[in-house]
Amino acid sequence: MDNLPRRGHKGHGMFWNRRRYLVACLAFLGFFTLNILRSNLSYALGPMRSPYNVTLDNGTVVEKQDFDWPEQEVSHIAHASFFGYVATQILGGWLGACLGGSRVFGVGVALTALFSLVTPFVANTGVVNLLIAIRVIEGLFEGVTYPSIIAVWSRWAPPQERARLVAIAFSGSYFSIVINSSVFHIIAKTLGWSYVFYITGIIGLIWFAVWWTVVKDKPEDDPHISTEELKFLKENIDCGPNDYIPKHIIYPWDKFVTSMPVWAIVVADTCMSWGSTLMALLPIFVRETYNYEVDETRFLSLLPHLVMAVLMPVAGTLADWLRNSEVLTTTQVWKVFNCGAFISQAILIFLAGHFNSVNGVLLCEVMAVGLSAFTWVAISVNHLDIAPQHASVLMGFSGTFSCVPVFLSIGFINYALAYGWQVVFYVNIALYLVGALLYWAFASGERQRWAPPAPTPESESLSLPQRSHVI
């Protein structure tokens, strides 16, 4: 059985009075902000390259274009941040454990916002390589955010509420996708493309000021937390307020790379990323097969992300209920969530490839993307279950592997399309089924022997400078 605390959690106020839910809501806004910072260039590239008419002083109307970049340079600019994002996954988890997850997460978003603010100036220099460098640097700071937030939850999320808190936070990324297209289009059309970067950068800095002021690394450091809530967190979190913060953090990498539960998460994360790439290409399949432009119907193009954003908190709440009521063990919950989603997505992809109706394909896409919410919750929280004190680094470890398919899948899909869409579909179906099989065989929701709690009375005497000494 999983070592899940069963203490009651009804006696410390309504959820809006609990500081951990305030942390979750601000984390939601943080990921919402991070995603608009990550995607602002994608929506600004069109207006930056679009020709427009200018009336000269003599009344002559001429056509101008701010940037006449060839397609290859546009591709390099658009994908530059991803290289930085991959490079700092493990580093972000390590820094979050050493310096405090809330600080690393906040600084990651803030510095991304600062570089967003200077992007128009850099672009106007006309030096493409400088713009690419700025985007790579942005990616470096974006990369630390997802792993470092897990370090926050290792100290703020009790096991009874862990899934819903994590799900609330991560759903912010998908809610932002729903509104990005319309809002960025309006900004670029009315104010100009440069304001896409200015406005998102300012939003990022405002969010950072609030986050830095309100959110603390540990509940003990929060002056506004109630005595009752603090007591509850101390009693239930095994890697939080009372856990030892060593001067020199030593990670058991040999245990990481030989642990099958760790690799089960890595495989699931990788399969989910590969599948997400295919989901993003389904509108192209619909256009080529049925001559139907999904992007022209904006609601249909955004509906899959809206469904996923709504389902993530639902999945988190359901997972907590199943565990707390002992209907299923933690291990069973994650296996049912992840494997059930993978098998269902494989079936939906098969149906999408054999439907003779555009509506049927679009329905399969919406359902398949929405089911990723269950996989995402399972993968994110599973790190905290098997090794709470190492969860942020493990998140970075699996995140690094999950980024690889983004490169491989695009190359493979371009190659496989020469043989038809069915080849692409069948390969993705096979990956989902293999991922489900391996996760069911090797995943665990129990704390691993190589990650035991290590509380010590001296831990509370360590200050932030002492913690940062490990760097």
Side-chain angles (χ1 to χ4, degrees):
M1 290 292 292
D2 302 292
N3 298 319
L4 184 67
R6 301 297 176 189
R7 297 182 179 90
H9 54 284
K10 299 292 185 182
H12 41 85
M14 300 302 291
F15 74 90
W16 54 80
N17 292 325
R18 304 172 194 169
R19 296 295 286 185
R20 59 189 181 277
Y21 280 90
L22 176 60
V23 174
C25 291
L26 289 176
F28 168 93
L29 294 175
F31 282 110
F32 183 97
T33 303
L34 179 67
N35 197 65
I36 65 175
L37 291 167
R38 291 177 64 181
S39 60
N40 54 15
L41 179 66
S42 300
Y43 292 98
L45 274 174
M48 291 170 77
R49 302 173 64 211
S50 298
Y52 57 93
N53 294 329
V54 176
T55 304
L56 302 179
D57 293 337
N58 60 6
T60 305
V61 178
V62 297
E63 187 176 80
K64 288 191 63 178
Q65 187 177 6
D66 289 338
F67 301 99
D68 186 19
W69 294 318
E71 289 299 326
Q72 187 175 11
E73 285 188 349
V74 172
S75 177
H76 292 162
I77 295 169
H79 296 97
S81 64
F82 187 77
F83 291 94
Y85 181 80
V86 176
T88 53
Q89 292 285 306
I90 296 176
L91 177 63
W94 181 53
L95 290 174
C98 295
L99 301 179
S102 68
R103 290 172 170 82
V104 177
F105 180 66
V107 170
V109 177
L111 291 177
T112 303
L114 281 174
F115 281 102
S116 177
L117 286 172
V118 304
T119 296
F121 301 102
V122 173
N124 286 323
T125 64
V127 182
V128 174
N129 288 338
L130 183 58
L131 178 59
I132 291 174
I134 289 293
R135 293 296 297 178
V136 171
I137 295 172
E138 276 193 55
L140 292 173
F141 292 112
E142 293 166 5
V144 305
T145 54
Y146 280 85
S148 63
I149 199 66
I150 297 298
V152 174
W153 296 129
S154 70
R155 299 182 178 280
W156 274 99
Q160 301 96 322
E161 303 171 1
R162 187 177 280 163
R164 78 190 73 173
L165 289 170
V166 172
I168 290 170
F170 284 144
S171 65
S173 296
Y174 299 96
F175 272 110
S176 72
I177 295 175
V178 176
I179 72 165
N180 280 352
S181 177
S182 300
V183 173
F184 285 154
H185 177 74
I186 294 172
I187 293 173
K189 187 174 182 179
T190 57
L191 300 176
W193 61 263
S194 60
Y195 281 88
V196 171
F197 298 99
Y198 296 148
I199 292 175
T200 54
I202 292 171
I203 291 174
L205 294 179
I206 292 173
W207 171 87
F208 168 71
V210 176
W211 174 267
W212 191 266
T213 304
V214 174
V215 179
K216 308 302 178 185
D217 283 326
K218 297 188 299 179
E220 291 93 332
D221 298 335
D222 191 330
H224 302 291
I225 192 171
S226 67
T227 303
E228 195 173 14
E229 182 179 6
L230 181 59
K231 180 176 181 292
F232 168 74
L233 294 177
K234 282 184 175 182
E235 290 176 348
N236 286 277
I237 295 181
D238 53 3
C239 181
N242 295 320
D243 245 19
Y244 175 45
I245 306 174
K247 293 182 179 180
H248 299 283
I249 297 178
I250 299 175
Y251 292 104
W253 284 102
D254 57 331
K255 304 297 184 183
F256 290 173
V257 299
T258 57
S259 171
M260 293 312 296
V262 170
W263 284 109
I265 299 173
V266 171
V267 169
D269 202 354
T270 304
C271 290
M272 183 178 70
S273 294
W274 185 291
S276 297
T277 304
L278 173 66
M279 300 302 176
L281 294 176
L282 279 181
I284 300 176
F285 168 72
V286 171
R287 183 180 66 221
E288 293 182 355
T289 306
Y290 301 99
N291 195 29
Y292 182 86
E293 288 288 350
V294 177
D295 292 339
E296 291 181 1
T297 310
R298 186 164 296 174
F299 176 74
L300 284 178
S301 64
L302 299 177
L303 184 58
H305 304 289
L306 177 61
V307 172
M308 186 173 180
V310 172
L311 281 182
M312 283 191 73
V314 173
T317 302
L318 177 60
D320 285 336
W321 178 81
L322 289 171
R323 296 192 299 168
N324 295 335
S325 61
E326 299 185 345
V327 174
L328 297 173
T329 66
T330 300
T331 301
Q332 291 168 342
V333 169
W334 298 145
K335 287 184 177 183
V336 169
F337 272 35
N338 192 63
C339 299
F342 277 177
I343 294 171
S344 299
Q345 287 171 317
I347 295 172
L348 290 167
I349 291 175
F350 177 82
L351 293 176
H354 290 81
F355 267 131
N356 293 319
S357 164
V358 64
N359 292 330
V361 175
L362 293 176
L363 178 62
C364 288
E365 179 193 6
V366 171
M367 294 176 64
V369 173
L371 286 171
S372 296
F374 291 87
T375 302
W376 186 234
V377 170
I379 292 172
S380 303
V381 181
N382 204 174
H383 296 293
L384 289 162
D385 294 322
I386 64 173
Q389 73 272 45
H390 303 314
S392 58
V393 169
L394 288 175
M395 181 75 167
F397 181 67
S398 67
T400 301
F401 277 91
S402 70
C403 290
V404 174
V406 175
F407 294 106
L408 298 181
S409 61
I410 293 175
F412 163 77
I413 289 172
N414 289 333
Y415 173 79
L417 283 178
Y419 301 94
W421 278 97
Q422 294 302 322
V423 175
V424 177
F425 290 157
Y426 283 129
V427 169
N428 279 270
I429 290 170
L431 285 173
Y432 273 135
L433 295 178
V434 170
L437 177 63
L438 293 176
Y439 193 84
W440 187 270
F442 299 112
S444 173
E446 298 183 27
R447 189 164 189 157
Q448 300 299 291
R449 293 182 178 180
W450 43 263
T456 172
E458 291 79 13
S459 64
E460 295 304 314
S461 64
L462 292 178
S463 62
L464 179 61
Q466 287 175 308
R467 271 184 275 168
S468 63
H469 179 66
V470 299
I471 307 303

